[in-house]
Amino acid sequence: MIRILTDSTADILPAEAAKLNVELVPLQVTFEDGVSYRDGMDLTPEQFYAKLETCHNLPTTSQPSPGQFLSHFEEAQEAGDDVIAILLSGGLSGTCQSAQIAAATCDYDRIFIVDSMSATLGLQLLVRLALRLRDEGKTATEIVSTLETEKHRLRILAVVNDLKYFRKGGRLSGAEAFAGSVLGIKPLVAVRNGKVGLAGKARGLPGAYVQLFKMIDTEGGIDTDMEYMIGYSGYKKAAEPVRQYLMSNMGLSEPRCEHIGTVVGTHAGPGAGGIAFFVKNTSAN
């Protein structure tokens, strides 16, 4: 048997994980009052964004301990199962490192660690690809080989509604955030090659979404033979412009729509809307 394991930043809630037969290891989210929660377990996405809106300082996330992975790995070892752990980008967290320490402690050669080089919906796409390949009867080695290739084609693009979270996170100065707010500037965020970064700016939400749609093409276009997803932080209506564009302008089928979780959501704040997809052409940028 092949076990698929991921961390909570894939934004697969426990009930869905159980349905998909995916094992989840949670990160910790700590707010400015010092109270910590297990991401996605003690705190739903709705509760997270409600708390985020009242924060003066941004919450922090901390990686799972090696021990949290070790219990999963030892259980698989005892059962003689393969484990594929598909995890948050090593460029954003030490989660992969914790899993690698646990794997070395376990000393079981059927544990495979995949650094997704992504987060949130991009990570979830990679997990869902692994599940599909497992259902097709691929071996663990074949699945890991495909994931290691395909992860380089993953992109996440999102429109951010409020600059104050970028200011709180130190990505913009107070003056830049104030000037941007006065001018109605909306930033665009991208997750590429394992990093979250500012990808562009536009005036007003309509202009920002138009820029996002153009960026889909400049990134290399959507490979519609692969799964794609749209997402939102806090308010589902933020994903509606992306949904409309995919279905009305591109003639694509209804996309899966999910919450954007803590790792990207902390910096984007409530009201962000975006898309995760595999690009057709990786040489486009």
Side-chain angles (χ1 to χ4, degrees):
M1 177 178 155
I2 299 171
R3 300 181 181 218
I4 305 294
L5 179 147
T6 191
D7 61 72
S8 59
T9 66
D11 297 327
I12 302 173
L13 294 178
E16 179 73 0
K19 182 179 167 184
L20 294 171
N21 194 18
V22 170
E23 298 179 32
L24 278 180
V25 176
L27 275 73
Q28 293 280 330
V29 183
T30 303
F31 283 84
E32 58 191 347
D33 59 6
V35 178
S36 295
Y37 303 86
R38 291 177 300 168
D39 178 34
M41 294 185 178
D42 301 327
L43 201 65
T44 67
E46 291 81 7
Q47 291 168 329
F48 169 76
Y49 284 107
K51 286 182 70 67
L52 183 64
E53 286 188 275
T54 66
C55 287
H56 290 95
N57 299 307
L58 295 184
T60 58
T61 55
S62 53
Q63 67 209 47
S65 68
Q68 288 174 266
F69 287 104
L70 187 60
S71 59
H72 288 271
F73 294 165
E74 287 179 337
E75 187 179 299
Q77 184 178 25
E78 189 173 333
D81 293 338
D82 295 319
V83 185
I84 303 174
I86 309 162
L87 304 171
L88 173 63
S89 168
L92 297 172
S93 167
T95 299
C96 274
Q97 186 178 25
S98 286
Q100 286 160 349
I101 292 168
T105 302
C106 198
D107 192 24
Y108 180 52
D109 63 7
R110 290 166 65 181
I111 299 169
F112 303 88
I113 312 293
V114 178
D115 178 346
S116 70
M117 294 179 64
S118 193
T120 184
L121 307 184
L123 173 53
Q124 186 174 151
L125 283 180
L126 216 58
V127 170
R128 289 182 179 275
L129 174 58
L131 293 171
R132 177 166 65 81
L133 294 170
R134 182 178 70 179
D135 291 345
E136 290 173 0
K138 303 294 186 187
T139 66
T141 302
E142 289 171 331
I143 294 170
V144 170
S145 177
T146 300
L147 297 180
E148 290 290 352
T149 298
E150 298 296 350
K151 72 183 186 182
H152 297 286
R153 298 202 292 138
L154 272 176
R155 300 289 186 275
I156 302 173
L157 303 173
V159 169
V160 173
N161 186 46
D162 195 332
L163 287 168
K164 73 179 180 182
Y165 298 94
F166 269 77
R167 177 185 58 76
K168 288 180 181 180
R171 293 170 185 266
L172 287 176
S173 69
E176 286 175 318
F178 177 75
S181 297
V182 169
L183 294 171
I185 298 296
K186 306 296 182 184
L188 285 89
V189 176
V191 180
R192 309 185 192 95
N193 302 316
K195 299 284 189 180
V196 181
L198 192 62
K201 299 175 186 174
R203 290 194 69 170
L205 277 177
Y209 279 105
V210 167
Q211 186 166 337
L212 183 147
F213 304 146
K214 290 178 180 176
M215 284 177 63
I216 290 173
D217 289 330
T218 58
E219 289 290 327
I222 299 172
D223 183 347
T224 54
D225 291 330
M226 303 288 279
E227 191 171 5
Y228 47 89
M229 298 175 66
I230 61 173
Y232 61 95
S233 61
Y235 314 111
K236 194 170 184 178
K237 65 181 182 182
E240 187 59 22
V242 189
R243 176 182 170 275
Q244 288 287 345
Y245 179 79
L246 295 180
M247 296 180 71
S248 301
N249 294 64
M250 296 187 67
L252 301 179
S253 57
E254 178 89 37
R256 187 186 303 276
C257 183
E258 303 277 4
H259 245 117
I260 295 170
T262 57
V263 171
V264 174
T266 292
H267 298 286
I275 181 171
F277 60 100
F278 293 90
V279 296
K280 288 188 291 189
N281 178 11
T282 53
S283 64
N285 57 10

